[in-house]
Structure formats: C-alpha cells, structure tokens
Amino acid sequence: MTKDRIGIDLVEIEEIEKRSTEKFVSRLLSDEEMRIYDRINDRKRRIGFLAGRFAAKEAYTKAYGSFDEPLNFRDVSILNDEAGTPYVVSKYRPEDTVLISISHASCHAVAFCMVRIKE
C-alpha cells in the first residue's frame, strides 16, 4: 500500500541573502550541494541556489510531516540530472518515490514536493 503526500514552500530571496552566512550555508547544504555551490561565481546565482535548496528541503519536510529521527538538511541533497530536472537523494526513507520541482522569480523561490510513501 502507498500513500501520496505533498509539500510546498515559498521563500523570499532577500531573506535568504540576509541569512546566507557561512554557518547557514554549512547547515543547509549537503557535501555534494556544497561542491556545486562553491563552483557558482555569480553572487545572485549563489543566493538563488541557496533559496531554491532551502525551499525544496522545507517542501520535502512538509510532505512527510515527521520522521523517525530529527531531520538534518545536510542529509538531504537536491541535485539535478543531465536535463536540469531536480531530484532528491536522502537517507530518510530512501524506499519512497520523491518528486520535486523548484522555480525562481526575481524575489522568490518556490518548491513543490510529492512523495509516494511505501507502507
């Protein structure tokens, strides 16, 4: 039996920019995401990357509601395939199907997550 759940999150890019300290970045990004982030030279694109990842991880968390153990954002990676489509790599419930989408506008980033939970 499966159960489908959704989560969505909207963030203000300006707020992420204000919070984008080294400590914030290191608590938000997985090692693999950090390697991608470190290769981005443009400040605006770096902030957009952070905002999108933050929104995606919040949407992922909202879709599940809770986990058996406290969720650490560093244990969840939002990566992109060859076509640029985002996907989730997570140690939390890896047997589930997770679909994620991220979008950016000049002031906001939004993410939508749908999970198919195997019971």
Side-chain angles (χ1 to χ4, degrees), residues 2-56:
T2 61
K3 177 170 46 171
D4 294 342
R5 305 224 13 212
I6 60 170
I8 189 168
D9 195 63
L10 175 71
V11 298
E12 292 184 26
I13 292 175
E14 185 177 303
E15 287 301 312
I16 297 298
E17 185 170 21
K18 288 177 187 175
R19 295 172 64 182
S20 66
T21 63
E22 190 174 315
K23 182 178 179 181
F24 174 78
V25 172
S26 69
R27 294 178 88 185
L28 173 64
L29 300 180
S30 69
D31 291 341
E32 194 163 357
E33 290 169 320
M34 187 65 83
R35 285 190 286 280
I36 297 164
Y37 176 77
D38 286 341
R39 290 193 307 257
I40 301 171
N41 295 319
D42 181 74
R43 173 89 175 139
K44 186 175 180 180
R45 288 200 55 232
R46 284 171 71 95
I47 298 302
F49 181 85
L50 290 177
R53 278 5 187 220
F54 184 83

Side-chain angles (χ1 to χ4, degrees), residues 64 67 92-98 115-119:
Y64 277 102
F67 295 91
Y92 305 95
R93 301 194 50 94
E95 68 278 7
D96 296 341
T97 300
V98 179
V115 296
R116 176 156 288 156
I117 300 171
K118 293 183 180 177
E119 297 182 326

Side-chain angles (χ1 to χ4, degrees), residues 65-76:
S66 66
F67 295 91
D68 294 336
E69 59 185 285
L71 183 126
N72 181 338
F73 276 173
R74 290 187 43 77
D75 293 328
V76 178

